[in-house]
């Protein structure tokens, strides 16, 4: 559906060239939800805006549904963009227009008839749960409602692709969940391919099928969301996941631990997350175990268990216990106090 090939975006400044995107290659399948994650300045917004050529790439190819957008004339590109909707962090609604007219704006830009607009706008507002807000103005809406209007506007011309630029970062947690649920419903009911950028792995975990991690304009790691959570390779990826799954132990707990013990983080992937592996480990080794923290997440309906555990005993027995876990396909990492 979307192919990015050797994509580069450079910005010329008085201080020299800034590289927003560096040799990015991505393949996004039709109908999937693809996340792009990175901290501020990582290049994720530049990359997203290159997909619909709001930012013209310095070099490389952007192929959407078999068409290389970088080769199109301006009129051809305008037509192609009608099939690529976009929503933004700060909604970009027109404050002087009603909800109805904000959604209608996209249809007027596509030169739809007044009759088509009159029929289409109520359908879109019904889809996003705002059928009763047509005559209100943006100032009368909550943040979540404003984003729903923006989503309705982005869907006005039946796009094949929906680009989402930090769509929930200005919203509170409960509203974020409702917007993510709406995007998931839109993806499933309409089959729209969604590309979403965020700095929150929690959003990726809840919504996306695949994810790319960006740093310094480069994609440093990519893959299925479950695989990235279960086996992160890059330090930045591990940092994002640690924040998302909240593994940090409080200082008072560290103070209570025996000086000779080891603290280990154990990752149970797939089938192993539902087995009594820790109990088995304690039976076959001469160690004592004390679970300090643990939970099982379900990512795309696959379990991923994470436990932090204090292990006490002779060093040889501790080594034997950790090797047992590794042999059971568990990820094992010794945790040190920061």
């Amino acid at each position: 559906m979307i192919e990015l090939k050797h994509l580069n975006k450079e910005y010329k400044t008085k201080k020299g060239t800034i590289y927003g995107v560096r040799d990015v290659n991505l393949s996004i399948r039709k109908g999937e939800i693809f996340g792009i994650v990175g901290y501020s300045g990582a290049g994720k917004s530049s990359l997203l805006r290159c997909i619909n050529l709001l930012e013209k790439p310095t070099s490389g190819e952007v192929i959407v549904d078999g068409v290389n957008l970088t080769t199109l004339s301006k009129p051809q590109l305008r037509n192609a963009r009608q099939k690529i909707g976009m929503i933004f962090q700060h909604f970009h609604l027109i404050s002087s227009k009603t909800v109805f007219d904000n959604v209608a704006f996209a249809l007027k830009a596509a030169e739809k008839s007044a009759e088509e607009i009159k029929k289409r706008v109520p359908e879109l507002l019904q889809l996003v749960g705002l059928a009763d807000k047509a005559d209100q103005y943006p100032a009368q809406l909550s943040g979540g409602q404003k984003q729903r209007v923006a989503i309705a506007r982005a869907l006005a011309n039946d796009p094949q692709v929906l680009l989402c630029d930090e769509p929930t970062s200005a919203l509170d947690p409960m509203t974020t969940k409702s917007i993510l649920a709406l995007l998931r419903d839109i993806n499933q009911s309409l089959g729209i391919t969604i590309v979403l950028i965020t700095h929150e792995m929690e959003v990726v975990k809840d919504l996306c099928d695949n994810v790319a991690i960006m740093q310094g304009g480069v994609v440093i790691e990519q893959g299925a969301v479950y695989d990235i959570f279960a086996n992160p390779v890059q330090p930045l990826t591990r940092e994002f996941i640690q924040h998302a799954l909240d593994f940090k132990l409080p200082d008072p707990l560290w103070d209570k631990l025996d000086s000779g013990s080891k603290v280990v983080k154990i990752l149970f992937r797939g089938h192993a997350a539902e087995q009594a592996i820790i109990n088995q480990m304690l039976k076959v080794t001469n160690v004592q175990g004390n679970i300090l923290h643990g939970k099982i997440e379900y990512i795309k309906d696959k379990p991923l268990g994470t436990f932090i555990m204090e292990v006490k005993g002779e060093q040889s027995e501790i080594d034997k216990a950790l090797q047992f876990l590794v042999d059971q396909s568990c990820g094992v990492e010794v945790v040190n106090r920061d």
Side-chain angles (χ1 to χ4, degrees):
M1 179 61 182
I2 300 174
E3 293 281 343
L4 307 181
K5 297 183 177 180
H6 300 291
L7 198 69
N8 292 278
K9 177 60 184 177
E10 300 174 2
Y11 301 93
K12 303 296 183 181
T13 71
K14 292 181 179 179
K15 295 182 178 180
T17 301
I18 296 174
Y19 298 92
V21 178
R22 292 191 179 204
D23 196 33
V24 167
N25 295 278
L26 288 179
S27 180
I28 301 172
R29 298 190 305 270
K30 181 177 177 61
E32 79 169 307
I33 304 178
F34 194 98
I36 301 172
V37 179
Y39 287 126
S40 178
K44 56 190 187 298
S45 290
S46 294
L47 179 62
L48 190 79
R49 292 167 69 87
C50 282
I51 294 177
N52 60 1
L53 265 65
L54 287 179
E55 296 273 6
K56 186 175 181 181
T58 305
S59 62
E61 296 179 292
V62 178
I63 301 170
V64 179
D65 200 23
V67 177
N68 187 348
L69 301 189
T70 61
T71 66
L72 299 182
S73 65
K74 288 184 178 180
Q76 289 173 326
L77 183 57
R78 280 197 296 271
N79 288 334
R81 280 182 179 146
Q82 290 184 17
K83 293 301 180 183
I84 305 175
M86 190 164 186
I87 60 175
F88 303 89
Q89 176 181 356
H90 296 297
F91 323 128
H92 289 196
L93 301 181
I94 303 170
S95 60
S96 61
K97 292 184 180 291
T98 64
V99 166
F100 184 100
D101 289 334
N102 265 279
V103 178
F105 183 83
L107 293 162
K108 290 177 181 177
E111 300 181 347
K112 302 296 184 181
S113 68
E115 184 177 339
E116 287 178 287
I117 292 172
K118 186 178 179 179
K119 178 177 183 293
R120 180 67 173 147
V121 173
E123 293 174 348
L124 291 162
L125 294 180
Q126 181 70 37
L127 177 65
V128 300
L130 294 178
D132 60 337
K133 305 294 184 184
D135 296 328
Q136 294 192 4
Y137 288 85
Q140 299 173 281
L141 304 178
S142 68
Q145 290 170 334
K146 290 176 184 177
Q147 193 60 284
R148 287 172 181 268
V149 176
I151 292 170
R153 181 182 59 191
L155 296 175
N157 291 302
D158 296 315
Q160 297 173 320
V161 175
L162 183 61
L163 306 180
C164 304
D165 189 354
E166 300 267 12
T168 61
S169 61
L171 305 175
D172 63 77
M174 287 300 294
T175 306
T176 290
K177 287 188 178 294
S178 72
I179 293 298
L180 295 181
L182 175 60
L183 291 173
R184 188 181 302 109
D185 289 344
I186 288 169
N187 167 257
Q188 293 174 352
S189 62
L190 303 180
I192 294 176
T193 304
I194 296 178
V195 184
L196 177 144
I197 67 169
T198 181
H199 60 274
E200 300 173 286
M201 284 299 283
E202 187 72 26
V203 169
V204 170
K205 177 171 68 69
D206 289 347
L207 186 66
C208 299
D209 302 301
N210 289 283
V211 63
I213 314 296
M214 290 192 72
Q215 184 177 33
V218 177
V219 172
I220 62 170
E221 192 165 356
Q222 61 178 297
V225 170
Y226 185 91
D227 294 339
I228 293 294
F229 270 82
N231 190 30
V233 175
Q234 297 296 325
L236 180 64
T237 309
R238 292 198 293 268
E239 180 180 321
F240 272 121
I241 290 170
Q242 180 174 327
H243 289 163
L245 299 181
D246 190 23
F247 298 140
K248 187 174 176 62
L249 296 178
D251 287 337
L253 186 55
W254 280 103
D255 294 337
K256 295 178 181 178
L257 300 181
D258 290 348
S259 59
S261 66
K262 283 191 180 295
V263 177
V264 294
K265 181 169 70 176
I266 308 164
L267 197 64
F268 299 93
R269 307 180 183 101
H271 182 66
E274 299 174 325
Q275 304 301 308
I277 291 176
I278 289 179
N279 188 48
Q280 295 171 27
M281 178 200 76
L282 295 174
K283 287 181 177 179
V284 299
T285 61
N286 189 23
V287 298
Q288 293 178 306
N290 178 25
I291 293 177
L292 307 174
H293 173 84
K295 63 179 175 178
I296 296 178
E297 299 274 356
Y298 283 83
I299 302 173
K300 294 297 174 183
D301 296 325
K302 292 175 63 177
L304 180 66
T306 306
F307 290 83
I308 295 181
M309 185 176 183
E310 179 188 21
V311 182
K312 295 184 285 187
E314 296 292 334
Q315 185 60 52
S316 61
E317 287 298 307
I318 291 177
D319 292 342
K320 181 180 176 182
L322 300 187
Q323 186 59 51
F324 175 86
L325 294 172
V326 171
D327 292 343
Q328 300 301 311
S329 299
C330 299
V332 179
E333 176 186 346
V334 176
V335 178
N336 296 310
R337 185 172 187 171
D338 294 332

